[in-house]
Amino acid sequence: DSNPSLVVVEPTLFYKNYAPVLSESDEKYFADSKDEDLLFLCVAVLKENIKDSVINLKSPILIDSEKKKGRQIILENADYPIRYKIFEDR
């Protein structure tokens, strides 16, 4: 398909204690957003062997569903991996 697309997932489905901290720049961008309107989504890479599939916890997409704005952010001060195996503990 010529249209770019991404598979995204809500990270707490696979990483229960996901609690990213925004950078100053991201705080400013989302300053007028309510917490209940913000949604973190992580890009998934689905492999032929589903057990090898990963999500990127380090660079989530943050969306304000009410204001219809969002962007991918990079968590500078977090130890979240870029390739977190979603079925590692399953």
Side-chain angles (χ1 to χ4, degrees):
D1 191 345
S2 63
N3 296 315
S5 60
L6 296 171
V7 174
V8 294
V9 297
E10 203 281 315
T12 58
L13 294 173
F14 302 100
Y15 195 96
K16 297 292 180 209
N17 297 322
Y18 192 65
V21 177
L22 300 181
S23 68
E24 258 186 64
S25 170
D26 294 325
E27 285 279 352
K28 287 179 186 176
Y29 184 79
F30 291 102
D32 61 343
S33 299
K34 298 177 189 168
D35 286 346
E36 61 267 19
D37 295 333
L38 293 176
L39 174 65
F40 284 95
L41 296 171
C42 290
V43 176
V45 178
L46 303 178
K47 304 287 187 165
E48 188 171 333
N49 180 348
I50 197 71
K51 290 188 177 215
D52 293 330
S53 297
V54 296
I55 57 174
N56 180 345
L57 294 173
K58 182 75 169 177
S59 305
I61 298 168
L62 183 54
I63 296 173
D64 180 327
S65 60
E66 182 65 30
K67 300 214 180 317
K68 310 275 192 269
K69 69 178 186 177
R71 65 181 180 182
Q72 186 170 25
I73 62 175
I74 298 174
L75 303 175
E76 298 169 4
N77 59 346
D79 291 332
Y80 295 120
I82 294 172
R83 291 176 193 88
Y84 177 76
K85 282 190 148 188
I86 57 179
F87 297 108
E88 189 73 21
D89 298 326
R90 299 175 199 279

